[in-house]
Structure formats: structure tokens, C-alpha cells
Amino acid sequence: MRPILLQGHERALTQIRYSRDGDLLFSTAKDQHICAWYAHNGERLGTYHGHQGALWTVDPNPQTTLIASGAADNTVRLWNIQTGKCLKVWDFDTAVKRVEFNEDGSKLLAVTEQRMGFLGTIVVLDVNQDVDGEQNGEKVLTIQCDESKATVAGWSYLSKYIVAGHENGSVSQYDAKSGEQLDNVQVHDMDIASQVTDLQWSADRTYFITASKDKTAKLINAENLVVLKTYVADTPLNSAVITPRKEFVILGGGQAAMDVTTTSTRQGKFEARFYHKIFEEEIGRVRGHFGPLNTVAADPTGKGYASGGEDGYVRVHQFDKGYFDFSYEVERQAKQQQLQQ
Amino acid sequence: MSKTANRDWADDEDLDDTVAATTGLPPNTSTTNKDGTKTIITYSLNEDGKKVKTSRRIRFTVHKEVVNPRVAERKQWTKFGLSAKDGPGPAADTTSVGENIIFRPSTNWRKDAKEEKTEAGSMKDKLKDKKVKCRICNGEHFTARCPFKDTMAPVGEEGGAADVSTGGADAPEGPGGLGAVKGSYVPPHMRNGGGASAAGDRMGGGKFERDDLATLRVTNVSEMAEEQELRDMFERFGRVTRVFLAKDRETGMAKGFAFISYQERTDAAKACEKMDGYGFKHLILRVEFAKKAAS
């Protein structure tokens, strides 16, 4: 496969998201604009300007009409995807590290940083899905994280729960309506630095994958926070995603950015790692970045994936035949048995 | 001829119509062939003032794709922001295409990657102390410079010749390659049965556990060949687990031989039969089973 390199940012990438149909790609970096790209050929659709600080996060709504973004300028902004116009600005006390739309796009959650005497919070906002309509400025729900600040969060199936990953490596489950904490499980190692760096959902949002600085990624059931699978890597992880169509997960990570210049690229382990979702076994790596991978995203159609690195590049990959052909012997046997019946 | 309308970059050097009129170049022609291709003949003058006729055969293929109407609509959106001034299609300053990455999921990818590395490494070691050898008198000079060139026939015609062309290829297979040919020159490091002194060079050659049963050796491969092309050609016969095309470290050109490993020996046998003598890039491929490493 020949990756497409996108050079729309001057600084390290922070998040990449595909639109629901897999045709558009949104990227944010520590510079102050969001880029929208066509995923099939890497053409840039446009850029969204307005933020005054490093952008941490972006998310398109399921209808692909709006995107939300969160930045270090303490705001969440809502944009019209087609025109690049900013529709709404929500102000917060601290930087916004993560935003995510729920399944129907009617609600938006934002994770705020713990800083300057303010506790980390998860805030839920109502979103008017009409592009031309008036947006409500009110914060519907605020969840405070007293123990350890939330670093990532997302909506479970049917917007029933809000699941958050914390700085101490634990994952908690909140009731999405009342904001009450239902459960908190220490999934990642507590003794060492084990911040949860990413949390991405399966297609049906019944389970999710977390990536952590403790060099592991875990597949977790959203209903009861039971760890289903563990993927062990040899480097701190920044991002993890579940691939549709094939039963794989992709992990991205690498040595911390501050140590990068002192080691060679080969040592840095700046590769996207593919693991089999069920067998937890590593099945391959894709090289290319000059720095740690900060974010990976999978095309919802299963045809490709994109990764964004500390080096400021986005690399969009379209899988070729060998990827789709690969299956374990037991998988092949199972398929044959199914055919015979 | 509406030359200005469909000019492409390749024609940039062409002279204008006015110049063509004065220099008396024949007009450009474009004909459609029976098989659907188009032949375009253009004339130009080169630096020495000589007439150059360029014929190009072009086939147009229409690639149709059915996409979701919403996706199709989004493709028509006008660009905005920093891209507002970009024309249709990817802009060169933001989008580029990276080098080809071969990514094949495999349960033993770690071993595969390591093997490729040692193979390349051992080859380099092998060639480092490889001496120039004359095919006629076995002296240490090129065959063309041999003083006996006109008077003697080459010694061990088949054995010697094959040895030179595939010497490098045999190297990773094991010590058998060179030593096995009877009566020919044995380089110093291979004497005494390729003993202890040579062991270090081969980077654990004894530890090779590759399944040679389903590995083909392809020789007489064009210099322009790419690993992917070989893979595509050989994949028709079955699942290919590994393709190794020897390349020159400096120039990046293929060295003329490759190894193709199949998962199944039956596939390998089929491919061997079908691909031996196949014409590829003006050369006739020679396909045979890789020699089993003699220990």
C-alpha cells in the first residue's frame, strides 16, 4: 500500500477522526486550525479557523454536518463542516481535552483539564442538529472527577453511559442522564504512570478499547467494565482503535516526544502495531512516522486507516489484498464448516 | 488541431504551432486503434535541430465507483479556509504520496522481518570478500581481460558460468553453493570445508529454518523489476508468504534474482512449471526450486 501523506499542520497531531461514511477525515494539531480532508485522495477540503490555542480534539457528528472541537483556549467550538463557519463557542474554565458526539448527534460531551484550582470535569452539551439553527449555550450536565482527572471519555450504546478514562489508569462508568458514578475499575497498572491516553468505541458501542502509557491496550465491556482482552506492546501507547471488517486492533505510540531526538528512528518504535482482536497476538507493523504516533483512526468502512504523529504528518493508508486475505487457520476452518452446513 | 486545449506537461518542451509552421514539421496525428487504444504521434525538434517523432499509445480506462449519494454530494463541496484557492484535485503542497509499504499481516511477522535482514546482511558479507574470477583460466581478473581469451575455451562451461551468475544467490542458502561444484576454484575462505573461519561471516547460517521446500528461485529478472510486480505475478498460483528481490544497495536496481516462498509446495510446483520461461520485461524468467541448504 502506498500511504498518502497530509501536511496540513506545522505541529504535532493530536487527533484524527473519520466521518461516519469514511469519506472525510478531520485532523487537529497543536497549531490553531482544524483540517478537513477527502480520505480517498488526500485532497484538503478546507480549514477551520478561530481557536486561539493548541487544538486537542475534534469529532464530526454522525450526520456529517457539524464538527465539534476542543482546544487549550478553554473553548469548545461547533463548526459547519461544509462552509468552515463557526456556529457556536462554549467557554470553560480550563482547556478541553476531548469532545465526542453521542450516537444520534444530539449531545456532545467535553472533558476539561484539571488546572488553576479547577477540578477536571466532564460536561454534556445539547446540540441543535440544524446547521442554521440557534445553539443552546447551557451546560446540561457537569460531572466532577474528584479522585483523578478524566483524560478521555465517550458515550456508550444508546447514550446510556458515559465512560471515562482517568489519569491514574482507571476507567469509570457514569449514568449519562444523572451523572452519577456507577462504577470505577482500575484496569491499567496503578503503580507506574498509566494514564489512559485514548478510548475508542466498537461500531455498536457495546465495548471499547483503551490505550495507556503503561504499554498496554485493553478491550473493555461498556456494560460492566470487564476487561475482555489485553494487548501488550513494548512502548507507551498514545492511541488505539478497533478496525471494522477485520478482527484487528491498531495501536499507536512510541517514545515520549522529549526523548525522540536522542534516539534513532529505528529505536523509537514509531510504528502502527496491528494485533488480532481475539487472539491478542501481534500480526504486523506499519512504519513511516518520524515521531511517536499520537493518534490512529480506522476508516468506518474498513478499507483503511490513518495515523497522525508527533512529526506533524497524517498518513492515510488504504489496505491491500493481503490484509483482507489474512486469517488464522482456525478462522479459515470455521468458515469452511459454515459453508458446508 | 486544438493543441493548446489539451496540452499536458509532457508537451511543455514542444514548439509552438507557429514555429512548427516555419520549420515544416508534419502535423500531429491521433488515431484510434482497433483494440481501443489511441496512438498519438507528435513531431518536434531536438536540441541538435533534428526532427524527432514521438508515438505514444494510450489506453483510456473509465473507472466507475458506486458511492453513497451523501458522499458523492460532499465531493462537490467548494473548498474553504486555507484551501480556498486550491484547484480541483489534491494540492501538491499539502498532499503527497509516500513510498510503498508492504504490509501483510502474518502470525510470524517478527521472524520474517528478521530473516530478511540477515539475508541482506549475509549477502553483503559474502560479496565483500568475493574475488574477481576469470571464467577461462580461473585467474583473478575479468574474463574479458584474460590473456588466454582467444586460445582457450572456458573451463567447466555450465558449472562455472552458473556459479558466477548465482553465486550471491546461493550464499544465504548455506555453504553448499560454491563448494559443491566439483573441480572449480574454491575461494580461500571456503577451503577446509568452509570451516570455522567462515562461520562468523554467515551470521548463523546454520540456524536457518526457512522452509525451502516451497521456495522458488527466480533468475534472469529484469533490473527494473519491483518486488510488488513479482508478487502479483506469482500470487496467481497460491498464497505467497515472502518475496525477496535482491537489490543493489547503492543504485536500488534489482540484481537479477529473487526468491518466492509459497505456503504450499503444490502451489510452488505449479508456479515453477508455469512461470519458467515466462517473458517479463524483455527477459525470459528462469524459475526453479531453491536449492536445499546442504549442511
Side-chain angles (χ1 to χ4, degrees), chain A residues 160-175:
Chain A
K160 194 172 174 191
Y161 308 115
I162 290 173
V163 174
H166 295 273
E167 197 182 21
N168 64 1
S170 68
V171 168
S172 26
Q173 185 190 50
Y174 299 95
D175 187 301

Side-chain angles (χ1 to χ4, degrees), chain B residues 47-75:
Chain B
E47 285 160 4
D48 305 335
K50 287 178 182 157
K51 253 191 251 180
V52 179
K53 175 183 172 187
T54 318
S55 343
R56 284 177 294 172
R57 269 181 74 192
I58 299 170
R59 181 191 295 280
F60 291 95
T61 47
V62 179
H63 176 73
K64 276 191 185 158
E65 197 181 352
V66 180
V67 295
N68 189 320
R70 283 170 298 164
V71 173
E73 191 210 314
R74 289 202 278 270
K75 281 186 183 164

Side-chain angles (χ1 to χ4, degrees), chain A residues 207-319:
Chain A
Y207 62 95
F208 58 91
I209 188 166
T210 59
S212 165
K213 289 280 177 205
D214 72 351
K215 306 184 181 178
T216 62
K218 306 217 178 201
L219 206 66
I220 299 168
N221 188 341
E223 180 72 40
N224 50 15
L225 300 188
V226 167
V227 176
L228 304 169
K229 300 284 172 191
T230 302
Y231 311 97
V232 182
D234 53 0
T235 180
L237 295 175
N238 293 330
S239 191
V241 65
I242 301 162
T243 59
R245 231 163 115 180
K246 294 295 281 184
E247 303 274 290
F248 301 151
V249 298
I250 310 171
L251 313 184
Q255 223 155 31
M258 56 196 287
D259 305 327
V260 164
T261 47
T262 57
T263 48
S264 79
T265 44
R266 193 169 275 283
Q267 274 190 331
K269 306 178 177 127
F270 309 136
E271 292 153 318
R273 294 125 201 280
F274 285 70
Y275 284 71
H276 196 279
K277 189 166 79 183
I278 311 299
F279 301 119
E280 305 174 324
E281 196 178 18
E282 189 166 356
I283 51 169
R285 288 185 185 185
V286 174
R287 267 184 295 169
H289 281 288
F290 299 112
L293 277 74
N294 285 344
T295 171
V296 288
D299 184 339
T301 58
K303 281 186 260 179
Y305 85 98
S307 56
E310 188 75 20
D311 56 3
Y313 283 94
V314 178
R315 296 172 73 95
V316 186
H317 306 76
Q318 307 286 344
F319 295 125

Side-chain angles (χ1 to χ4, degrees), chain A residues 1-7 21 23 38 42-47 64 81-82 84 282-283 285 287 326 328, chain B residues 68 70-71 74-75 77 79-83 89-90 94-96 98-101 103 105-107 109-110:
Chain A
M1 56 189 179
R2 245 175 219 287
I4 305 173
L5 274 64
L6 310 180
Q7 300 147 272
D21 298 305
D23 62 326
Y38 288 106
E43 190 176 345
R44 184 160 74 177
L45 171 63
T47 53
T64 320
I81 291 183
Q82 187 177 355
E282 189 166 356
I283 51 169
R285 288 185 185 185
R287 267 184 295 169
F326 173 78
Y328 274 72
Chain B
N68 189 320
R70 283 170 298 164
V71 173
R74 289 202 278 270
K75 281 186 183 164
W77 283 357
K79 297 183 180 181
F80 57 89
L82 290 177
S83 289
T94 55
T95 308
S96 56
E99 62 179 292
N100 199 16
I101 295 172
F103 173 59
S106 146
T107 44
W109 68 274
R110 221 180 280 268

Side-chain angles (χ1 to χ4, degrees), chain A residues 80-294:
Chain A
N80 181 343
I81 291 183
Q82 187 177 355
T83 60
K85 227 178 83 192
C86 181
L87 303 174
K88 175 76 190 163
V89 183
W90 284 280
D91 280 303
F92 292 90
D93 296 324
T94 55
V96 180
K97 294 304 284 272
R98 179 62 70 118
V99 291
E100 191 175 295
F101 279 101
N102 69 348
E103 255 176 328
D104 61 3
S106 63
K107 283 193 168 70
L108 180 72
L109 70 75
V111 178
T112 65
E113 183 75 87
Q114 173 182 10
R115 197 162 287 160
M116 299 182 293
F118 295 103
L119 283 172
T121 59
I122 302 167
V123 179
V124 177
L125 304 161
D126 260 332
V127 175
N128 182 350
Q129 290 171 73
D130 180 11
V131 174
D132 304 316
E134 188 80 12
Q135 296 293 339
N136 183 1
E138 233 172 279
K139 289 161 192 171
V140 181
L141 179 71
T142 303
I143 303 167
Q144 280 209 348
C145 307
D146 314 312
E147 211 169 288
S148 174
K149 72 169 186 193
T151 50
V152 289
W155 297 89
S156 80
Y157 60 96
L158 304 175
S159 310
K160 194 172 174 191
Y161 308 115
I162 290 173
V163 174
H166 295 273
E167 197 182 21
N168 64 1
S170 68
V171 168
S172 26
Q173 185 190 50
Y174 299 95
D175 187 301
K177 290 221 168 61
S178 66
E180 183 193 342
Q181 182 165 358
L182 303 173
D183 203 353
N184 180 289
V185 178
Q186 187 72 39
V187 291
H188 289 284
D189 203 341
M190 196 159 60
D191 302 330
I192 52 173
S194 63
Q195 189 197 104
V196 179
T197 48
D198 199 9
L199 187 157
Q200 296 201 44
W201 293 91
S202 68
D204 60 3
R205 290 183 186 249
T206 53
Y207 62 95
F208 58 91
I209 188 166
T210 59
S212 165
K213 289 280 177 205
D214 72 351
K215 306 184 181 178
T216 62
K218 306 217 178 201
L219 206 66
I220 299 168
N221 188 341
E223 180 72 40
N224 50 15
L225 300 188
V226 167
V227 176
L228 304 169
K229 300 284 172 191
T230 302
Y231 311 97
V232 182
D234 53 0
T235 180
L237 295 175
N238 293 330
S239 191
V241 65
I242 301 162
T243 59
R245 231 163 115 180
K246 294 295 281 184
E247 303 274 290
F248 301 151
V249 298
I250 310 171
L251 313 184
Q255 223 155 31
M258 56 196 287
D259 305 327
V260 164
T261 47
T262 57
T263 48
S264 79
T265 44
R266 193 169 275 283
Q267 274 190 331
K269 306 178 177 127
F270 309 136
E271 292 153 318
R273 294 125 201 280
F274 285 70
Y275 284 71
H276 196 279
K277 189 166 79 183
I278 311 299
F279 301 119
E280 305 174 324
E281 196 178 18
E282 189 166 356
I283 51 169
R285 288 185 185 185
V286 174
R287 267 184 295 169
H289 281 288
F290 299 112
L293 277 74
N294 285 344

